[in-house]
Amino acid sequence: MTDLETKIKELIIESLDLEDMVADDIDTDEALFVDGLGLDSIDALELGLAVKNEFHVVLEASSEDTKKHFYSVATLANFIRNNK
Amino acid sequence: MVIKSKVIWSAWAPGVSTKQEWEDWSHNLRGFDKNQKPDVSFIKPMVRRRLSLLAKMVFVTSYSLIDEDQEQLPLVFASRFGEMEKTVQLLTNLVNAEGLSPTSFGLSVHNSLVGMYGMINKWTESSTAIGAGNRSLTSGFIEAYSQSKSFQMPVLYFYYDEPLPEVYSRYDDESLPICFGMIVDAKNDSAEQILDVVKSEPELSPLNLIRLFITKDA
C-alpha cells in the first residue's frame, strides 16, 4: 500500500465520521459505494469536497468519469496522481 | 396546576432519563450530570455516525417512549434553536471562504431531524418541524394536539434543545441539553389538561412541564 492510498483511507474515515474504523479496514480495490464499504450519495459529495480540499484536484460533479474515479481507493489514488 | 390523567411521556437530560430518575430529580434527590451522553448503541454504526447530540437525545427518548412495533403516527418536532452548532460551523466556513460540508448543510435545517427520524424508522406519516422562540415547547404541543384532533389519531411529539454555541451565548437561557417526548392524543383528558396549561403559560419550560406529570404520578 502506498502513502497516497493510506492518506486517502484516513481522509475517508475522518471526513465521513467512520468512528470505529482504521485505514487497514478499507480494502484498496473494493467498491466504496453501495456494495463494499457501503457509502451513500451524501458521502460521495462529502468525500468530493474533502478530496478537493486535501489534494487540490478539480472534480466535475456530474461526469461519468468522476463516478469511475471514485469507485475505489485505488482508482481515486490513480486519479489524484494523474491530476496533481 | 396538576395534570390528573395518564400521560405517555419520556425525557432525556444528562444524568436524568428514567421515570425513577425524574421522580428523584423532582424531589431534589438527583442532579444533572453534564458529562453524560445519550447511549444510541441500538442504532447501526453507519447510521449513528451522522447523529448530532440533539438527534441522539431524540432517539434515546423515542426508544423508551414507544415499542418497536408501534404503528406509524404523524410526527411533530419542535426546537427553539435546532442544530445551531452546525449552522455556526457552516457560517465560519463561509467567512473563511472554505467549501461547505454537504452533510452538515443537509443536517442543519430545522426539519432535518424529523426527516431523519422518518427515514431511520421507515415511517411515512406526515412530519412537521416547529420553531417558535421560547414558546417552541408549547407551540409544538398545540400543533400536535391540533393534528391529533383533525386526523382523529394520536401524534408523536418531541421537543429538544441544547445550549447555544459560545458565540451566541448572550442570547441563551437554555442551561442544558434536554429532549422531551410524548404521545399526544386529543381524545384523552390529559391532552385537554395540558392544553389549558400551555395556553395559560406559553413560555412553559420542559422541566416545569415534566414537574406537572410527576406531581400527578406521586
Side-chain angles (χ1 to χ4, degrees):
Chain A
M1 191 156 58
T2 68
D3 284 352
L4 178 59
E5 280 153 352
T6 311
K7 211 171 163 190
I8 292 172
K9 289 178 186 181
E10 282 162 359
L11 187 68
I12 290 173
I13 291 167
E14 196 202 311
S15 63
L16 307 183
D17 296 317
L18 302 173
E19 298 160 2
D20 308 324
M21 292 186 89
V22 293
D24 282 346
D25 294 335
I26 302 176
D27 189 323
T28 306
D29 296 306
E30 196 179 47
L32 290 173
F33 295 93
V34 192
D35 303 324
L37 196 55
L39 303 179
D40 61 23
S41 57
I42 305 174
D43 292 316
L45 292 169
E46 196 69 38
L47 185 56
L49 178 75
V51 166
K52 207 170 103 184
N53 286 344
E54 182 72 29
F55 301 106
H56 308 290
V57 289
V58 181
L59 297 160
E60 300 277 344
S62 58
S63 96
E64 273 302 309
D65 285 346
T66 305
K67 252 191 216 170
K68 285 178 196 156
H69 300 322
F70 276 79
Y71 177 77
S72 67
V73 172
T75 57
L76 199 49
N78 257 339
F79 170 72
I80 292 166
R81 271 189 208 103
N82 295 333
N83 287 273
K84 266 194 122 165
Chain B
M1 202 171 305
V2 183
I3 306 301
K4 295 187 197 79
S5 313
K6 187 176 166 59
V7 181
I8 302 172
W9 68 281
S10 180
W12 187 95
V16 183
S17 57
T18 66
K19 285 281 162 68
Q20 186 59 54
E21 286 166 358
W22 281 110
E23 177 116 31
D24 292 348
W25 163 80
S26 78
H27 297 119
N28 294 323
L29 300 172
R30 190 179 178 91
F32 298 111
D33 172 3
K34 294 199 168 154
N35 298 319
Q36 296 293 320
K37 299 270 177 271
D39 174 13
V40 286
S41 51
F42 56 90
I43 295 176
K44 282 186 267 178
M46 285 302 268
V47 177
R48 195 165 67 215
R49 69 197 168 102
R50 291 206 181 117
L51 303 182
S52 62
L53 172 64
L54 290 179
K56 288 175 178 167
M57 292 197 300
V58 167
F59 281 98
V60 286
T61 306
S62 169
Y63 191 75
S64 59
L65 181 64
I66 60 170
D67 296 327
E68 226 171 280
D69 57 358
Q70 166 72 47
E71 61 170 317
Q72 293 191 25
L73 301 174
L75 298 168
V76 174
F77 280 38
S79 181
R80 181 177 180 183
F81 299 122
E83 297 281 4
M84 199 52 88
E85 285 281 349
K86 285 191 165 45
T87 304
V88 167
Q89 184 57 53
L90 290 165
L91 291 173
T92 308
N93 292 143
L94 269 184
V95 168
N96 297 336
E98 295 158 353
L100 298 185
S101 157
T103 316
S104 278
F105 178 72
L107 296 177
S108 70
V109 298
H110 205 65
N111 60 351
S112 67
L113 189 41
V114 70
M116 197 147 58
Y117 186 93
M119 280 166 67
I120 291 177
N121 290 327
K122 302 197 166 54
W123 279 22
T124 51
E125 269 293 346
S126 69
S127 63
T128 306
I130 300 277
N134 62 358
R135 299 183 171 198
S136 296
L137 172 70
T138 53
S139 302
F141 176 82
I142 291 169
E143 176 68 26
Y145 177 88
S146 310
Q147 289 195 14
S148 173
K149 195 109 183 161
S150 76
F151 296 150
Q152 300 277 304
M153 65 191 290
V155 170
L156 184 56
Y157 174 47
F158 289 103
Y159 168 85
Y160 49 91
D161 249 316
E162 65 183 328
L164 281 174
E166 188 64 41
V167 64
Y168 288 130
S169 54
R170 67 192 166 110
Y171 301 104
D172 197 5
D173 50 22
E174 307 284 333
S175 55
L176 85 163
I178 187 164
C179 176
F180 166 80
M182 73 184 290
I183 295 179
V184 180
D185 190 345
K187 287 197 201 94
N188 288 354
D189 294 342
S190 61
E192 295 284 346
Q193 291 162 11
I194 298 168
L195 190 64
D196 286 341
V197 172
V198 304
K199 280 199 285 196
S200 67
E201 226 182 307
E203 292 173 11
L204 183 71
S205 72
L207 291 178
N208 284 338
L209 179 63
I210 290 168
R211 272 185 210 284
L212 297 178
F213 301 152
I214 293 172
T215 316
K216 187 273 305 176
D217 286 340

